[in-house]
Amino acid sequence: MALKNIVVLVGGVGGVKLAHGLAQILPPENLTVIVNTGDDFWHYGLRVCPDLDTVMYTLAGLVDKTNGWGIADDSRAMLAALRRYGEDPWFGLGDQDLATHLLRTQMLHAGQRLSEVTAALTSRLGILHPVLPMTDAPVRTMLDTVEYGELEFQTYFVRYRWQPTVKSIRLDCIEQASVSPEARAALERADAILIGPSNPWLSIAPILAVPGMSQLILSRNVPRVAVSPIVQGQAVKGPAAKLMAELNYDVSAQAVGEYYGDIITGFVYDERDTALNLNHKQVTSFDTIMIRDEDRVVLARKILHWIEE
Ligand code: GDP
């Protein structure tokens, strides 16, 4: 089977590792990255899209590799200046990073769609692979917590360092969202659809919840394969495992595979885990822990090879 066009759905730091690996082996016309925008928010009047930024900075080779987000060696003079005004700027906007948010906000105010804005920003950074927001409409991931009631995503994730106990998740304004023409076209011509090892509940669920998105993916009779972000009962990074326990799921790769249900036809879990079985689905295990850049390419190649077989 010849796989030509691949679409990968991702959030930020976890999913982008696979997208980056794929981008190093597939030409721009054969790979499209669709990104969660439920984390997007307004901050000091600027539109900040953390997952889109992580994907852009990674594909452009600008990312801070230690954090996995932000721009390498960025300074924080603006944040220090805000503090001089007595502000408590809890979201780490770097000085170079600020340029992205200024330009994005300006383009959005001029009436461009987020897909158009992202295309302009990525091309100016020299990124050739299409990077698409899951929708052009603003959607907000809201978390109902035991300690603080309902919190916007970044307040939960960054301000409170994902420590509050989550009772439920809601996607504000999702009813008004729709799949963009660019994302629709990419999914319609995909020969395989991948789901990166992103947080299923916080990064992938918002993408799948865009009205029409799941139906479109399910209508494609092509391999649809997710990679587990849970390895040996733990998240590689971030709140996925804690969140799974709070939402009463078993914290395991198996539970992630089951959560994706019919959306996927195949599932990749880590070879450190015990063998798992998902009804009517192809499963395989690889070393999915991507530490070095080469690890990303190796895993991307293995997954494409497995799907092709
Ligand atoms: P976020 O929006 O920035 O939190 O990023 P994602 O949702 O895309 O990624 C977060 C998830 O990536 C976490 O659940 C991690 O467990 C997972 N993750 C991070 N690095 C790796 C890795 O190298 N391998 C695997 N399998 N999962 C990873």
Side-chain angles (χ1 to χ4, degrees):
M1 181 186 156
L3 289 178
K4 205 154 181 270
N5 298 318
I6 308 290
V7 171
V8 62
L9 314 183
V10 300
V13 295
V16 75
K17 293 182 184 177
L18 181 66
H20 189 213
L22 291 164
Q24 290 171 74
I25 51 183
L26 295 170
E29 61 275 21
N30 295 148
L31 175 68
T32 299
V33 188
I34 296 181
V35 185
N36 170 42
T37 58
D39 303 7
D40 297 6
F41 71 129
W42 290 98
H43 197 54
Y44 291 104
L46 300 177
R47 191 63 175 162
V48 183
C49 305
D51 286 352
L52 279 173
D53 293 340
T54 297
V55 172
M56 290 200 307
Y57 297 156
T58 304
L59 296 187
L62 293 171
V63 79
D64 177 329
K65 290 189 177 176
T66 311
N67 289 332
W69 54 269
I71 293 180
D73 301 321
D74 207 352
S75 50
R76 294 276 200 269
M78 188 279 292
L79 292 181
L82 278 175
R83 280 192 203 93
R84 196 162 53 207
Y85 280 113
E87 294 289 303
D88 172 25
W90 50 268
F91 192 80
L93 291 181
D95 295 331
Q96 295 183 48
D97 191 20
L98 201 50
T100 307
H101 315 310
L102 287 170
L103 279 175
R104 174 186 292 126
T105 305
Q106 187 188 43
M107 291 186 221
L108 287 172
H109 284 332
Q112 294 191 52
R113 294 182 297 121
L114 184 61
S115 300
E116 295 167 330
V117 173
T118 307
L121 294 175
T122 50
S123 90
R124 291 194 205 179
L125 289 178
I127 298 167
L128 300 174
H129 295 85
V131 175
L132 308 178
M134 67 186 200
T135 179
D136 288 318
V139 172
R140 290 191 311 162
T141 301
M142 309 291 297
L143 298 105
D144 191 16
T145 67
V146 171
E147 295 82 353
Y148 302 97
E150 193 168 63
L151 298 175
E152 214 179 8
F153 180 85
Q154 297 302 338
T155 308
Y156 158 79
F157 194 76
V158 178
R159 185 167 204 172
Y160 293 124
R161 299 173 194 280
W162 49 269
Q163 290 315 300
T165 312
V166 175
K167 293 196 284 184
S168 63
I169 304 167
R170 179 175 76 83
L171 298 167
D172 189 40
C173 293
I174 193 76
E175 305 81 14
Q176 285 102 57
S178 59
V179 181
S180 69
E182 293 88 346
R184 179 171 294 282
L187 286 164
E188 281 174 350
R189 67 166 185 271
D191 299 307
I193 299 169
L194 304 182
I195 297 179
S198 289
N199 187 313
W201 288 268
L202 295 177
S203 293
I204 303 300
I207 304 178
L208 298 177
V210 173
M213 184 69 85
S214 288
Q215 293 85 334
L216 176 54
I217 293 173
L218 283 165
S219 75
R220 298 305 328 283
N221 190 17
V222 296
R224 306 187 301 263
V225 172
V227 182
S228 179
I230 297 292
V231 176
Q232 293 186 304
Q234 292 182 339
V236 179
K237 190 178 178 190
K242 177 175 173 287
L243 190 74
M244 283 180 87
E246 288 164 1
L247 297 177
N248 294 319
Y249 288 93
D250 186 26
V251 186
S252 65
Q254 171 94 29
V256 171
E258 286 167 1
Y259 173 74
Y260 283 129
D262 291 339
I263 285 288
I264 56 169
T265 60
F267 188 63
V268 177
Y269 63 101
D270 195 88
E271 61 189 21
R272 294 163 185 81
D273 270 314
T274 47
L276 61 79
N277 180 28
L278 293 170
N279 276 346
H280 311 299
K281 293 190 207 313
Q282 303 288 323
V283 296
T284 192
S285 62
F286 296 128
D287 180 356
T288 69
I289 303 283
M290 295 167 276
I291 295 164
R292 302 159 309 157
D293 277 3
E294 306 87 272
D295 302 337
R296 303 173 178 194
V297 178
V298 169
L299 181 61
R301 261 192 221 294
K302 282 184 186 163
I303 292 172
L304 293 182
H305 186 69
W306 179 63
I307 295 174
E308 265 164 356
E309 279 190 333

